[in-house]
C-alpha cells in the first residue's frame, strides 16, 4: 500500500500545548485497517498527540494528514467533518447518563446530520449488533456493566463509519477478562478495515494482543 | 423586567413628545395693533403675515370682536360700563413646525415690532421655553437610562447563557467530539433565547397595559396624549428590541464559548 493512502500521516510534526513544545519531529504513518498501540508514561504527550489528530490543538509545524484532511491548512469550519471520520473512545467523552442506549446513539446521529428516522434506527441496530448490545437498546447507561458501557462507547464511535478509531485507555477501569473482550472487539474492527490507534498503559494487553507499538518518550515519538 | 423599564421609558418619552407637540401646535403668537391703524394697513399686514414662512395660519381679530369675546367671558358688557373699548385689534399667528424654537420666536418678535402700528408681540415665553427645555432634558435622560438598561439586559442575558452552557459543557464537548457543527450546537440556545425574549416581552406588555389603564385614574390629563394606536407601535418596538437583545447576546456568548478551549472550562 502506498504512503498516500495512509489514514494518519505525520511528517516532522511539532506539537505545542500553550506554547510549550510537547512533541517534536513526529513521523508517523498508519495504514487503513492497521492496529497500533501508543504507549508512554503519563505526561509524555500521548494525549497531545491524540488531540492534534482530532484538531483540538493545531499542527503548526510539519505536515499532518488525517483521513484525507491536511491538519495544517484545515479550516475551523471543516473540523466537524474531520471528526466525523474519526471515532473517539475517550475517558472524558462520557455517555449521557440521562438517556438510554438508543438515545445516546441517536443524539450522535442527529448531531452529525442524520435526519431520516429509519436510517438512524437501522444504523443504531447495526452498531449495537457489532458490539453485541442489541438486546440493551432501552437500558440506561447505569444499568450496564463497565464492559458494556465501554462497548456502547465503541458502538457510538462506529456510528459514522469512521476511517480511524482513536482510543485513549479504553480498558483503564476494566478487569482483565472484560479488557480482553474490548480488545477482541477493537481488533475485529481493525480487521474490517478501520484503523485503530489505542493509547494504553497495560503491558499485559500488548503481550496478549500483539501489534505495532509506538512510544512517546522525551518529547519524541518512536516506533518500538 | 428590562423590557418593562424600556417600555415605561418609551411610554413616558412618547408621552412627553406628545405633550411637547401639543404645546407647539397650540402655540400662538399674538400681534397687537395700534387702535388707530387704518383698515387698509391692517389688510396689508394680514396679507404680508400670511406670506411669512413661519405662519401656519393668521387670524385677524378686530378690537370689536375681541370686546365681544371678552364680554362673553366676563358675562357683562364692559364697553358700556367703561364707555369705550380699551382692547386692541390683533393677529393670532399659529406657527409652522420648525419655527417654534425660542430663538426663532425672538427673531419673529424683533422683526414684527419694527412694523409701524404694531404695539406688542406676545407669546407664552416662560411656559413654552421651560416646558421645552424640560422635555428635552427628560428625553435625554430617557435615552440615557434606556441605553444603561439595555446594556444591563445584555450582560444579564449573556451571563444566563454562559451559565446554561457551562452546565451543559459535557454534552457540548460530546457534540464537538462527534463532529457536530457549531450552528447545530448553538441552535437550541438561540431558540431558547428567542423564547425567553418573547416571554419577557409578553410580561412587559401586560404590565405596561395595566399601568396605562390605571394611570388616568391618578392623572386625568394623561389620556389626552395617548391613543390606542400608540400602544401597537410601542409594543412592536419592544418586541423587536427584546428579541434582538436576547438573540444577539445569546449568539455572542455561545460563539465566544465555543471558541474557548473546552479544557479551560473544567
Amino acid at each position: 500500500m502506498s504512503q498516500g493512502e495512509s489514514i494518519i500521516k505525520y511528517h516532522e510534526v511539532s506539537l505545542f500545548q500553550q506554547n510549550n513544545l510537547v512533541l517534536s519531529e513526529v513521523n508517523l504513518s498508519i495504514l487503513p485497517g492497521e492496529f497500533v498501540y501508543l504507549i508512554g508514561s503519563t505526561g509524555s504527550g500521548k494525549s497531545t498527540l491524540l488531540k492534534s489528530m482530532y484538531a483540538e490543538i493545531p499542527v503548526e509545524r510539519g505536515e499532518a494528514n488525517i483521513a484525507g484532511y491536511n491538519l495544517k491548512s484545515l479550516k475551523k469550519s471543516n473540523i466537524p467533518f474531520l471528526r466525523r471520520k474519526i471515532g473517539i473512545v475517550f475517558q472524558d467523552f462520557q455517555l449521557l447518563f440521562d438517556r438510554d442506549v438508543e438515545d445516546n446513539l441517536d443524539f450522535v446521529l442527529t448531531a452529525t446530520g442524520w435526519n431520516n428516522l429509519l436510517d438512524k434506527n437501522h444504523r443504531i441496530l447495526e452498531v449495537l449488533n457489532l458490539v453485541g448490545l442489541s438486546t440493551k437498546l432501552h437500558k440506561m447507561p447505569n444499568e450496564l456493566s463497565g464492559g458494556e458501557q465501554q462497548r456502547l462507547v465503541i458502538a457510538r464511535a462506529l456510528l459514522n463509519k469512521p476511517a480511524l478509531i482513536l482510543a485513549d485507555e479504553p480498558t483503564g477501569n476494566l478487569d482483565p477478562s472484560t479488557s480482553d473482550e474490548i480488545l477482541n472487539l477493537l481488533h475485529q474492527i481493525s480487521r474490517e478495515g478501520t484503523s485503530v490507534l489505542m493509547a494504553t498503559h497495560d503491558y499485559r494487553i500488548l503481550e496478549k494482543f500483539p501489534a505495532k507499538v509506538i512510544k512517546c518518550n522525551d518529547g519524541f515519538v518512536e516506533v518500538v | 423586567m428590562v423590557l418593562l423599564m424600556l417600555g415605561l421609558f418609551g411610554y413616558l418619552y412618547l408621552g412627553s413628545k406628545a405633550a411637547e407637540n401639543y404645546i407647539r401646535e397650540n402655540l400662538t403668537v399674538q400681534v397687537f395693533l395700534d387702535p388707530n391703524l387704518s383698515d387698509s394697513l391692517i389688510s396689508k399686514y394680514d396679507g404680508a403675515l400670511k406670506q411669512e414662512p413661519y405662519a401656519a395660519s393668521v387670524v385677524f381679530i378686530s378690537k370689536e370682536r375681541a370686546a365681544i369675546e371678552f364680554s362673553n367671558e366676563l358675562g357683562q358688557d364692559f364697553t358700556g360700563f367703561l364707555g369705550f373699548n380699551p382692547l386692541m385689534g390683533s393677529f393670532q399667528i399659529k406657527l409652522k413646525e420648525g419655527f417654534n424654537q425660542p430663538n426663532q420666536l425672538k427673531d419673529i418678535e424683533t422683526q414684527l415690532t419694527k412694523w409701524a402700528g404694531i404695539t406688542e408681540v406676545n407669546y407664552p415665553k416662560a411656559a413654552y421655553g421651560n416646558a421645552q427645555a424640560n422635555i428635552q432634558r427628560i428625553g435625554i435622560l430617557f435615552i440615557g437610562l434606556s441605553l444603561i438598561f439595555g446594556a444591563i439586559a445584555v450582560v444579564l442575558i449573556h451571563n444566563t447563557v454562559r451559565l446554561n452552557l457551562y452546565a451543559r459543557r459535557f454534552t457540548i464537548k460530546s457534540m464537538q467530539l462527534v463532529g457536530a457543527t457549531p450552528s447545530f450546537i448553538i441552535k437550541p440556545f438561540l431558540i431558547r433565547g428567542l423564547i425567553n425574549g418573547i416571554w419577557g416581552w409578553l410580561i412587559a406588555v401586560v404590565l405596561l397595559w395595566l399601568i396605562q389603564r390605571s394611570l388616568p385614574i391618578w392623572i386625568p390629563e394623561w389620556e389626552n396624549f395617548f391613543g390606542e394606536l400608540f400602544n401597537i407601535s410601542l409594543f412592536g418596538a419592544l418586541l423587536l428590541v427584546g428579541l434582538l437583545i436576547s438573540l444577539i447576546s445569546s449568539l455572542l456568548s455561545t460563539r465566544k464559548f465555543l471558541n474557548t478551549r473546552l479544557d479551560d472550562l473544567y
Side-chain angles (χ1 to χ4, degrees), chain A residues 17-18 51 54 76 80-81 83-84 88 92-94 96 107-108 110-112, chain B residues 170-171 173-182 184 259 261-264 266:
Chain A
Q17 280 269 43
Q18 272 121 27
K51 277 180 180 169
Y54 61 90
K76 213 169 183 175
F81 302 100
R83 288 180 181 170
R84 289 176 195 186
I88 297 174
D92 59 350
F93 179 17
Q94 295 154 338
L96 303 171
F107 159 81
V108 173
T110 309
T112 49
Chain B
F170 292 112
T171 312
K173 171 128 186 165
S174 300
M175 284 181 168
Q176 286 186 322
L177 287 181
V178 299
T181 53
F184 177 86
N259 288 335
R261 294 187 50 235
L262 278 162
D263 286 348
D264 298 339
Y266 290 98

